[in-house]
Amino acid sequence: MAIKSFDEYVASLRKLKPTVYMFGEKIDNPVDNPRIRAGINATGATYELAQDEKCRDLIVTTSPLSGEPINRFTLPPQSIQDLVLRVKINRVLGSRVGTCHQRCTGLDCLCTLSIVTYDIDKKCGTHYYDRFIDFLKYVQKHDLTGNAGVTDVKGDRSLSPHEQEDKDMYLRVVDQTKEGIIVKGAKVHQTGSLSCHEVIVLPTRTLAQGDEDYALAFAIPADTKGLIHVVGRNSMDTREIEGVDCGNTRYSKYCPTLIFDEVLVPWERVFMFREVEFAADTVSRFSAYHRQSHGGCKSGKIDAMTGAALLMMEYNGTSKAGHHKEKVTDMIHIAETLYGCSLAASYEGKKEPSGTYFIDPVLANASKIHEGREMAQVTRFLIDVAGGFVADLPSDRDINHPEIGGLLKKYLKGATGIPVEKRIKMLRLVEKMAMESADTISDIHGGGSPAAHRLTIFRETDINYKKNCAKRLAGIED
Amino acid sequence: MAIKSFDEYVASLRKLKPTVYMFGEKIDNPVDNPRIRAGINATGATYELAQDEKCRDLIVTTSPLSGEPINRFTLPPQSIQDLVLRVKINRVLGSRVGTCHQRCTGLDCLCTLSIVTYDIDKKCGTHYYDRFIDFLKYVQKHDLTGNAGVTDVKGDRSLSPHEQEDKDMYLRVVDQTKEGIIVKGAKVHQTGSLSCHEVIVLPTRTLAQGDEDYALAFAIPADTKGLIHVVGRNSMDTREIEGVDCGNTRYSKYCPTLIFDEVLVPWERVFMFREVEFAADTVSRFSAYHRQSHGGCKSGKIDAMTGAALLMMEYNGTSKAGHHKEKVTDMIHIAETLYGCSLAASYEGKKEPSGTYFIDPVLANASKIHEGREMAQVTRFLIDVAGGFVADLPSDRDINHPEIGGLLKKYLKGATGIPVEKRIKMLRLVEKMAMESADTISDIHGGGSPAAHRLTIFRETDINYKKNCAKRLAGIED
Amino acid sequence: MAIKSFDEYVASLRKLKPTVYMFGEKIDNPVDNPRIRAGINATGATYELAQDEKCRDLIVTTSPLSGEPINRFTLPPQSIQDLVLRVKINRVLGSRVGTCHQRCTGLDCLCTLSIVTYDIDKKCGTHYYDRFIDFLKYVQKHDLTGNAGVTDVKGDRSLSPHEQEDKDMYLRVVDQTKEGIIVKGAKVHQTGSLSCHEVIVLPTRTLAQGDEDYALAFAIPADTKGLIHVVGRNSMDTREIEGVDCGNTRYSKYCPTLIFDEVLVPWERVFMFREVEFAADTVSRFSAYHRQSHGGCKSGKIDAMTGAALLMMEYNGTSKAGHHKEKVTDMIHIAETLYGCSLAASYEGKKEPSGTYFIDPVLANASKIHEGREMAQVTRFLIDVAGGFVADLPSDRDINHPEIGGLLKKYLKGATGIPVEKRIKMLRLVEKMAMESADTISDIHGGGSPAAHRLTIFRETDINYKKNCAKRLAGIED
Amino acid sequence: MAIKSFDEYVASLRKLKPTVYMFGEKIDNPVDNPRIRAGINATGATYELAQDEKCRDLIVTTSPLSGEPINRFTLPPQSIQDLVLRVKINRVLGSRVGTCHQRCTGLDCLCTLSIVTYDIDKKCGTHYYDRFIDFLKYVQKHDLTGNAGVTDVKGDRSLSPHEQEDKDMYLRVVDQTKEGIIVKGAKVHQTGSLSCHEVIVLPTRTLAQGDEDYALAFAIPADTKGLIHVVGRNSMDTREIEGVDCGNTRYSKYCPTLIFDEVLVPWERVFMFREVEFAADTVSRFSAYHRQSHGGCKSGKIDAMTGAALLMMEYNGTSKAGHHKEKVTDMIHIAETLYGCSLAASYEGKKEPSGTYFIDPVLANASKIHEGREMAQVTRFLIDVAGGFVADLPSDRDINHPEIGGLLKKYLKGATGIPVEKRIKMLRLVEKMAMESADTISDIHGGGSPAAHRLTIFRETDINYKKNCAKRLAGIED
């Protein structure tokens, strides 16, 4: 059965036995660790949507490979409409989980490989595309979630991969056997690596001659031997673990460091091997897809933040304050800007030789530049509207304390007629959405750094057309 | 014949005998006045495009009314594709004329009336829609340009129309006869009123009971008796008149004050008469269409400005300066933002009862808010890259002067290998694009003030959806 | 002895026995609670400075009351130089603690009262000034730290104090006896209330007739009976408690909710009682002083953030990246803007009737508006330069773990020649400085909301002067 | 007599016989050319101030050289107070002329030379300082205005002076005789070169070995043989010439290109000759002083723009519109930011070996970065508040026309009770202040480009101090 329910999804994760460390401890059952589980819940929302009457039509479609119903998060886009729905579904999900749902990155890898493996084969006479399609059928059949193993640790950033002192600073092949290749290295900021079934690895940057060992793409199960997930710290990380003061009552995000300690990848799962000249296109397509995804999910997250701001106005008694309305209007404007540019990138997409549709990269990057710059403003506006308790609201353990709980409830009361509990919950949600580092950093670095987005927009622009416009107006003939 | 050539267009304007004043003089032949002619040339570009092999398919389509080929500037959109092409054609035109082409406003009036007259008829049992369709057929048949008579002088802005001391501060009906209605008032900032054949009048604001005399929509020829065009001043206005130092060698913009000194409008040209309750919808639809138009033409204008910046870098010898590239990237980013939001507004449009397609108003306004705020930055970046001569370049009369011309040409020389004439021409174009007040003010006030765009975006947003997102995340049940 | 050392300061706090709750537990020894202690350390830096050879001259001065040496944090400014040194000392401290040092608010209350009590006495014939001077002598003699009890909980913000359903939403007098007054209410966001000896209470807003019970100013020891400190949550709050992954190795910030559960204030400590007409001036002076303070400490904090950004460039190997240098330049520019406006506010200060110097409020607010808007940008730049590990760096518990520590150290290595430990420590500091909610929220709401700063700047500006300039230029005579 | 009146100033200019071209014509009497005269009037305001009861004390001081009263515009600062008054006088003047008063640049050259000539002598054993002091005495004695001959035409900006194809792209010495040196080249953007008595030349950039011929500083009368002033175009340049629709009724700005067509400079007026190693310091000091000056005059100009915005609100009837008040508040905030940073730069100044006081360059550049970025916003806000007539207000020739004048006056009427003439005049002033290219370009390029300001701020900052702050907090020991 191709479409998993939320429960089936969680059950399928339980069957995996990944190696996991967090805060100095080995975690044997990550699915039931409350912090990791909050992330799993967020990805789980993509499964819930397929069970939701109102959203099913949006997210369930038919596989062109199998003719079976599949979740769109397993489908490289086969039409403009598919591209557009990526953005719309992401917006719904962003507003539904109020954080990153973590399933887009795997899909963005699938989209990329569905183009690039075809192009490599055409040029090099290899057979990656068929391997990839087999993998894709498997993913669709089991409604699996993939994780994007893209960002290497990079070591000294002024040096290319093969120039590094320690050659493992970018994931590389260290050996090959009849069964497959042995890889070594680490991928970082692996959003949701324990919420996924498969880790899909792509190169993280342009490669040149000498970097052949680093030109790799492949997929392996998240619990493959030698893979170590180290779940790092983020700003609110102990809240879910303690089960108190979470703000977002169900969802959160975590981003492990993923060490590949000499991991075997079977040949049928290898999708690029030493073709350095395709690394640039691979990373550039992945990034473009991922920036398009952000235009959806982050505008959805702003929807939830805008709602929180409006409710804080109600709960504080400032609904009529003009300067608060101005800030909410700015928040809406930013959401629509991310969304509009990302939608336009989709509608203006084009078909690639393999049949997959690719978005307009300039418009997709235009959206992401706004995100990188203006999510910080959205957060600022939200804090401004909500007030100082975003930083120092007493814990629920105090609010429910027999001695001082009553006093706290008395003094935390806001606008007339609003139960104090509502205000407390909403302040806590604001705290989570404003101060969760895993989200904040992703606004800036997700899909590459702001400088990368800018470079892309410049590189992909038709500079000569613009020059010719100016020459014609000025009366300059060449 | 439905499609006019540029020459036919100019010839058709020559047949009109409008009453025109400029700088204290009556202008008998506006078509040959160099300043007005530069504006006519800009509108003429919309006719040229229909003759241009490369653009003909973009701008020529078939009338659903007559089955004849027509210029899209006479077509209320009948599909999503029609909406999208509005933006794309405007972008081409903006980059082609480097200023406002001035033909969109008339079309935006036609679009609006094609929806609103239908809706009025449905509600009030009137017959405006048929009248309007007759007018539209006439416009299409002769490939006419319309002018949007929207903005009233407004008098004291703290008072509604009927509260004004002088009741003519908003255009109103002062009498009615068997032939038609007599109207009085003035419409201002009438971009291209002498480049058009017909003036199409709509209300400029929401009206309420008591304002019935002001609830008017109609169309009359630009040379109707009693209509007085007073061409005001703009920043570079004497350049075209003197025929020197124009910068933009062919195109410019002018925006007369248009006085309706008791003008008769025949009944068959009256499209709204005293239906106050439809004023708000009329102005809101016009504004939304017009803001969508801006997303196209202004991104096109930025294309030309970006080209000018890149050429100035070449001509000055600063092509490798990183901070200049950064500014050019910002210019591109702003263009794509205006364009992306405006395109998305088009793709997300919907069919109205009359069959006309209407854009998504939130996304159209999102585009316009960026324009109002960021065109000033585009200008600043252009000046920054070009250098100080944007303000004080010697006149061509000095550069060609027998005594000092040689010295000036010597000292105005820039990068090695670039003829000094190119640099001079490009600096002059930059001056025009950066400092032309008619354009600068339109960036801010075109299609209503920035405050109006913000109000719209707030009003058209589904506030409750956003609140519910936040409540669900915070665990608040109502 | 008037000048306390750091150790004497901590010892003096130990003698206090305040009532404290945190995370559901009663805290008997706040000084040794690691989280509260990190805040105490930050305030302690103001004592350290007085022992530091290089800074002693900056921070130690002579009391005009006693002729004894005192710490400037107990001195209402008696000269322009005193005003200027407030800013300079705050900058040093901000860069030294990398967070809020928490001692300025108490001083800002002293400054305010040294003006207002004098003015009330002059107008009302009361004797608050003498009482206040006695209190000030006591503070100076023992080198005490004060806490600003200013921000009330406010309840329904659309209602004034006496209109609230629950009359205790603003601190008020509920009874008076021979000994003193009994007060009830709560003050929130009480930065460092357990790092201080005395709580100094001022009204939080303009008051009008009917609000007499709320027009109160007084000072009481931080462990007065009935005072309850509830230390709330902030984003990184469990790090100090667990003693791991702190980032800032020594300093932090906490901001309790402070409940006044019917607290007796002896008459000799009451500095305003029911004089509603002085509430506006009191809060406006306090805010202006506090905004001036921010211009110093926050520019100092940016100094530390800038240093962190520069070191991250070194440690990552991106020191030559132009776009990183640009961002560092922006960070410096913002620091200098806050500092410059705050310094100018000081140099342009004026002597008040009581002899205390008051800063120029327009320039002080100009500084704070920048902070409220641009600290979010500083943070964004820092994250951008530092990279994605700001959000998900593995815990030191993993980095030092026997099984995976070696692998983590291998893969967390950055630029050639830089020990991995340095990079880890610096990333952790960046996380703390970028994501500490107690600081982030203070950037926006410290010294009142951004809307308040804007209102002040408008209200304190000579509008007529500006109008007259324009009239003269336009040739308009009245 | 050391202090000239406005009339004496104009009379003194009449005695000069400079070579002037404008718009293809030789101008024999520049003082009576209305366009140039508007600029002379602006500089004349610095003389008026010395006659104005209220300002005399501000602007008149005593020469430390002669003991005579002098205008401060002839005084290199001898104290912190002198530095501060530079800013304050500039603010008064900016608000008084609503444009550039054009006398600061000459003073900034005097300030620079009073430091640099001393330093060269100390290092090289030359005698420039005495020569310079003689020149300064002469300037003070006759209350002369100087013009800053700094910006060279620069040719190919990727090449240094001696690498240029045409060696005259930077002003250079081409010969030397017993009488003096012969110089050749051109200086551009010579604001007010015909409003001044003396042209003071400095190098425009850092020079290196090989550039010796370009390392020059000197002063010559504005009508020296071989000097050719070519007055170029700016956006509103024909208004003064035609004497209609000027907006600013009395003042304006013009910036000639100044050609040195083999000009003899007598030895006693040569202040630097081939000392390449002092070029960098010279230009950096000049720029720093000039950026400080801008912080005064531009904040003053914003005062006038703010006044115009406030009056437009009154005249349009929008005084109660919250979003207009917000924009005015932003305008005030920007003015205070420029002013505050510039004042702080002054108060934090230091004494140089020659006795002249130099400002803090980081703070002075911080001010200028704001100007370069935010004056465009001030302009945008002003246009936003004023409305569309900024671009197309009918000419006074039409408004006073016998046939249509009455109609225009009827329809241009604004708020109840405001004479239409006031509104017309104020709209015209807004047009001038918003769209005058000579001012707009100076906001960006005055005192060097924005990139130069940023470079300076980075270079002059103590980077190591900041790094050490971060290391200490992170617990990193070197």
Side-chain angles (χ1 to χ4, degrees), chain B residues 382-425:
Chain B
L382 177 57
I383 294 169
D384 190 339
V385 168
F389 271 128
V390 177
D392 54 34
L393 188 70
S395 170
D396 272 356
R397 289 182 176 153
D398 288 316
I399 292 170
N400 298 320
H401 191 282
E403 282 167 53
I404 57 165
L407 282 169
L408 284 173
K409 281 177 190 155
K410 169 187 169 77
Y411 287 114
L412 292 174
K413 185 84 171 52
T416 316
I418 304 292
V420 66
E421 289 77 13
K422 282 192 177 184
R423 187 166 180 249
I424 291 167
K425 284 180 178 176

Side-chain angles (χ1 to χ4, degrees), chain A residues 31 34 44 55 63 75 114 188 195 202 249 286 307 351 354 419 426 429:
Chain A
V31 174
C55 298
S63 168
L75 177 74
S114 77
V188 289
S195 315
L202 306 180
T249 52
F286 170 75
K351 191 176 187 172
S354 73
M426 194 51 61
L429 175 64

Side-chain angles (χ1 to χ4, degrees), chain B residues 326-387:
Chain B
E326 287 290 312
K327 281 153 200 160
V328 168
T329 302
D330 281 331
M331 295 170 81
I332 296 171
H333 181 231
I334 294 170
E336 298 303 324
T337 300
L338 301 193
Y339 184 60
C341 292
S342 192
L343 269 189
S346 312
Y347 280 116
E348 296 286 307
K350 294 217 173 61
K351 191 175 185 174
E352 294 293 321
S354 73
T356 296
Y357 274 68
F358 186 59
I359 39 82
D360 180 296
V362 171
L363 287 163
N365 277 279
S367 176
K368 190 66 182 67
I369 292 174
H370 283 288
E371 180 197 333
R373 202 160 57 193
E374 287 145 41
M375 283 297 288
Q377 293 204 47
V378 170
T379 301
R380 178 164 67 80
F381 294 138
L382 177 57
I383 294 169
D384 190 339
V385 168

Side-chain angles (χ1 to χ4, degrees), chain B residues 21 23-24 156-157 166 168 189 233-235 238-239 245 316 372 383 391-393 398 403 410 416 445, chain D residues 21 23-24 156-157 166 168 189 233-235 238-239 245 316 383-384 391-393 398 403 410 416 445:
Chain B
Y21 288 84
F23 304 174
D156 189 324
R157 290 176 193 220
D166 180 339
D168 303 334
H189 321 315
R233 303 224 54 160
N234 54 315
S235 58
T238 55
R239 303 279 179 103
D245 304 329
N316 287 343
I383 294 169
D392 54 34
L393 188 70
D398 288 316
E403 282 167 53
K410 169 187 169 77
T416 316
H445 285 288
Chain D
Y21 289 84
F23 305 172
D156 189 324
R157 289 175 193 221
D166 179 340
D168 304 335
H189 321 314
R233 302 223 55 158
N234 54 316
S235 58
T238 56
R239 305 279 180 103
D245 303 330
N316 288 341
I383 294 170
D384 190 340
D392 53 33
L393 189 68
D398 290 314
E403 283 165 53
K410 168 187 171 77
T416 316
H445 286 288

Side-chain angles (χ1 to χ4, degrees), chain B residues 168-189:
Chain B
D168 303 334
M169 290 297 103
Y170 291 78
L171 187 88
R172 62 171 178 149
V173 56
V174 291
D175 203 357
Q176 62 185 94
T177 69
K178 217 166 25 175
E179 287 74 34
I181 60 176
I182 315 295
V183 301
K184 195 172 170 195
K187 294 283 186 175
V188 289
H189 321 315

Side-chain angles (χ1 to χ4, degrees), chain A residues 21 23-24 156-157 166 168 189 233-235 238-239 245 316 383 391-393 398 403 410 416 445, chain C residues 21 23-24 156-157 166 168 189 233-235 238-239 245 316 380 383 391-393 398 403 410 416 445:
Chain A
Y21 288 84
F23 305 174
D156 188 324
R157 291 178 192 218
D166 179 339
D168 304 333
H189 320 315
R233 302 224 53 158
N234 55 313
S235 57
T238 55
R239 304 279 179 104
D245 304 329
N316 287 343
I383 294 169
D392 54 33
L393 189 68
D398 289 315
E403 283 167 54
K410 168 186 170 80
T416 316
H445 285 288
Chain C
Y21 289 84
F23 305 174
D156 188 324
R157 291 179 192 218
D166 179 340
D168 303 334
H189 321 314
R233 302 223 55 158
N234 53 315
S235 57
T238 55
R239 306 278 180 104
D245 304 328
N316 288 342
R380 178 164 66 81
I383 294 169
D392 54 33
L393 189 69
D398 290 315
E403 282 165 55
K410 169 187 170 76
T416 316
H445 285 287

